[in-house]
Amino acid sequence: MKLELLIVKDAGLDALIDFFSNVFLFQKDNNYYPYPLEQVRHIGYQLCYAVKFLHQNQLTHTDLKPENILFVDSDYDIFYSNKKKRDIRRVKRTDVKLIDFGSATFDHEHHSTIVSTRHYRAPEVILEVGWSQPCDVWSIGCIMFELYLGVTLFQTHDNREHLAMMERILGPISYRMARKTKTKYFYHGRLEWDEKSSAGRYVRENCKPLKRYQMSEDDEHSELFDLITRMLEYEPAQRISVADALHHPFFQKLPENLRLADRERSHSLSR
């Protein structure tokens, strides 16, 4: 089995997406029904493997999101869900391609202040304290949560509200980062946020501690949430790397025929 990374020119991106279905559109057309755990595992594994290739070459993708993960073959089976009382699609193959390297940045290149699509943006980007490869890992954590639940982890378009959601879901933001940022969201290291406001109520009613989103107490579900938790560490230096993530117990249960050997690093670049 071989993983392919696609680098495409902007002009060809829309045509490529029209030809392949991405994991977001498939889920949207499936009424946001969650992917089965084994499919989350395979897609997440391939994504980590592809991003490891970038990171080993001093590149940060900076725009990882479900729309940029395409199915090689989006053919599907249909089954009836008694829970949802409707037909549900299940993709037959979960081989994927990672696309859209238009914002990818080498370590030595200028780093834009703001990168990543809002919902997948790491705290160090929002706080403008400098970013590198770990911001990709944060995005992967958000993506895996979304594939598993069918909902976006951080559904917001406002920086302060985004930070409040992080604190509601993950606990207080790192004091070091809060003190380092030159943004105006913190006072004496604490987020300035009115929990009694309409926005405060929205966050309180729509967000809960990460572990409470877990749909089962089975070991495999717990392993997924352990991995996501490690990917969503506030401090970039403490966040798990994609190389280490590939050795996490959650991915160790991936069948051998779906694994990618190191010698099979992707070299297929489509221009």
Side-chain angles (χ1 to χ4, degrees), residues 100-198:
D100 195 0
F101 291 67
S103 301
T105 304
F106 280 104
D107 290 351
H108 68 272
E109 292 182 315
H110 169 72
H111 283 38
S112 300
T113 302
I114 301 298
V115 294
S116 305
T117 299
R118 159 64 67 186
H119 309 312
Y120 313 96
R121 188 172 295 159
E124 63 267 26
V125 178
I126 297 173
L127 297 178
E128 300 178 17
V129 294
W131 56 266
S132 58
Q133 279 85 11
C135 78
D136 280 346
V137 179
W138 179 280
S139 300
I140 295 172
C142 295
I143 291 167
M144 292 182 68
F145 176 95
E146 190 169 335
L147 300 181
Y148 173 81
L149 267 296
V151 296
T152 307
L153 180 56
F154 300 110
Q155 185 58 51
T156 182
H157 296 282
D158 176 80
N159 279 344
R160 194 182 300 273
E161 185 174 80
H162 197 162
L163 295 169
M165 287 182 166
M166 288 180 185
E167 292 208 329
R168 174 77 170 161
I169 295 169
L170 303 169
I173 287 171
S174 158
Y175 183 78
R176 186 199 70 84
M177 294 176 73
R179 295 289 288 180
K180 184 179 179 182
T181 183
K182 292 183 174 145
T183 61
K184 306 298 183 183
Y185 305 125
F186 292 84
Y187 182 72
H188 291 314
R190 296 188 63 180
L191 180 66
E192 288 196 288
W193 178 250
D194 183 3
E195 292 188 355
K196 296 181 180 178
S197 66
S198 59

Side-chain angles (χ1 to χ4, degrees), residues 1 3-4 6 16-30 33-36 38-44 46 65-76 89-99 143 147:
M1 183 179 177
L3 179 72
E4 294 182 340
L6 294 183
L16 185 67
I17 291 174
D18 286 342
F19 186 76
F20 296 99
S21 179
N22 64 58
V23 300
F24 169 75
L25 284 178
F26 188 93
Q27 196 166 42
K28 178 183 177 184
D29 291 342
N30 206 21
Y33 194 81
Y35 287 93
E38 65 271 16
Q39 295 191 340
V40 176
R41 192 192 325 273
H42 188 210
I43 295 170
Q46 292 172 90
K65 56 186 177 181
E67 292 91 330
N68 284 339
I69 307 169
L70 305 187
F71 283 121
V72 173
D73 181 352
S74 55
D75 193 17
Y76 56 85
R89 300 176 182 180
R90 178 167 294 176
V91 67
K92 292 180 178 180
R93 290 180 56 197
T94 44
D95 299 321
V96 296
K97 297 175 183 284
L98 176 62
I99 65 165
I143 291 167
L147 300 181

